[in-house]
Amino acid sequence: MKKSKKIFALSMSACIMASSMCGCSLDIGKKIGGSDDDGLLDAADEFIEALLATDSKKVSKTLIEDDQESEYLEELDSYDSTLVADILENAGYEADEDSVKVKKDEGSAEYEITFADPADVADGSDVEDADEKSVTITIEFELDDDEWLVSNFEDVYEEIFDEDLTALADGNVSSKPAETE
């Protein structure tokens, strides 16, 4: 009887120890920085910060492979040290945490980006004093090797770098009509 109690106790101990050692999680979000939502939002923040800094190299690292050769990345470099860069450096952004959707290896999140209205800047306002313009974008992601990568870069780019902003960069802006006496 003593022998069977010892065997039973050892068996239970072994089971408890084995289950605690095998407490692996299949939750991919945990591997990439918290919950699925947190990991996706961290990746989105990294992408937005690089985009607003017009840093094509950092933006490229956040994109799926297909988008890493986008012509828009070259365009981003052309905005460095222009009025567009000044506008974007002073931009703000906020995630709509309720909009975050994660399903297996795909996800999305909405962000609101607020910056100086390019039309107002074109009309002579300082970037800091110009009216604000808000753009709501949806960033889509694919999970690749435990890393969330942006899969709709060109759509996001076109939403932010609209006609007003690109016209300001190209110098094709309308100005206030001259006052007549």
Side-chain angles (χ1 to χ4, degrees):
M1 181 90 163
K2 275 186 172 183
K3 190 175 186 180
S4 63
K5 283 185 181 181
K6 284 182 181 179
I7 292 175
F8 180 73
L10 285 172
S11 297
M12 290 301 292
S13 295
C15 288
I16 292 170
M17 191 166 70
S19 66
S20 69
M21 291 174 66
C22 294
C24 300
S25 172
L26 294 177
D27 184 0
I28 292 171
K30 301 277 188 235
K31 292 181 187 176
I32 57 175
S35 70
D36 286 340
D37 295 358
D38 290 342
L40 186 130
L41 287 174
D42 290 344
D45 286 348
E46 180 181 344
F47 167 70
I48 293 289
E49 288 169 10
L51 188 61
L52 295 179
T54 64
D55 188 333
S56 64
K57 288 180 182 170
K58 285 185 180 177
V59 169
S60 179
K61 291 177 183 177
T62 66
L63 305 178
I64 60 171
E65 191 172 333
D66 292 348
D67 284 348
Q68 290 177 358
E69 300 299 322
S70 172
E71 65 189 52
Y72 290 134
L73 288 172
E74 291 177 26
E75 234 175 80
L76 253 185
D77 287 332
S78 72
Y79 296 133
D80 196 29
S81 72
T82 65
L83 200 49
V84 171
D86 292 342
I87 288 172
L88 295 177
E89 283 176 12
N90 289 294
Y93 65 90
E94 184 175 357
D96 176 1
E97 293 185 13
D98 294 333
S99 73
V100 176
K101 295 177 184 154
V102 175
K103 190 172 186 178
K104 292 190 180 184
D105 60 350
E106 293 182 351
S108 66
E110 283 187 10
Y111 273 72
E112 182 176 22
I113 301 174
T114 306
F115 51 90
D117 187 346
D120 203 24
V121 172
D123 288 340
S125 293
D126 289 333
V127 171
E128 294 83 17
D129 299 329
D131 292 337
E132 286 189 342
K133 177 178 181 173
S134 290
V135 177
T136 300
I137 58 171
T138 300
I139 307 171
E140 296 173 0
F141 294 89
E142 291 179 12
L143 191 60
D144 183 29
D145 293 330
D146 295 341
E147 185 176 14
W148 288 110
L149 298 174
V150 175
S151 62
N152 68 332
F153 169 63
E154 293 186 354
D155 294 336
V156 170
Y157 184 93
E158 289 172 357
E159 285 290 322
I160 297 171
F161 293 84
D162 63 3
E163 290 177 12
D164 290 338
L165 199 57
T166 55
L168 188 62
D170 296 338
N172 303 326
V173 295
S174 61
S175 59
K176 291 181 182 177
E179 291 183 28
T180 57
E181 294 178 18

